[in-house]
Amino acid sequence: MGSGFLAAVGTVAEGSATAAAGALTEPSSEGADTARCQPFTVAFYVGWMLLFVAWVLLGIPIGPGETLSL
C-alpha cells in the first residue's frame, strides 16, 4: 500500500480514537474523519491526472506493441 493511504488511515484513526473515548457523551465525529481525508483524495486525483497527461504527451507505450491514443 502507498504511504499516502497509510497517512490517511492514520489521520482517521487518530480522530476516531478521541471520538471513541467520549462516544457516550459526544456526538459522532465521522463527518470530521471523512473531511480530514478529503485533501488526500484531491492530492491523489491531481497526481494521477498529471501522471496520465505526462504519459500521453511523452508517447510512452502502455504495453508491448500497444499505444495510447485519445
Side-chain angles (χ1 to χ4, degrees), residues 3-33:
S3 60
F5 175 76
L6 296 176
V9 170
T11 302
V12 171
E14 179 182 314
S16 296
T18 56
L24 297 177
T25 58
E26 296 179 14
S28 174
S29 67
E30 290 181 25
D33 292 343

Side-chain angles (χ1 to χ4, degrees), residues 4 8 11 32-47:
T11 302
D33 292 343
T34 304
R36 260 187 232 123
C37 291
Q38 190 172 7
F40 293 101
T41 304
V42 172
F44 278 114
Y45 176 76
V46 169

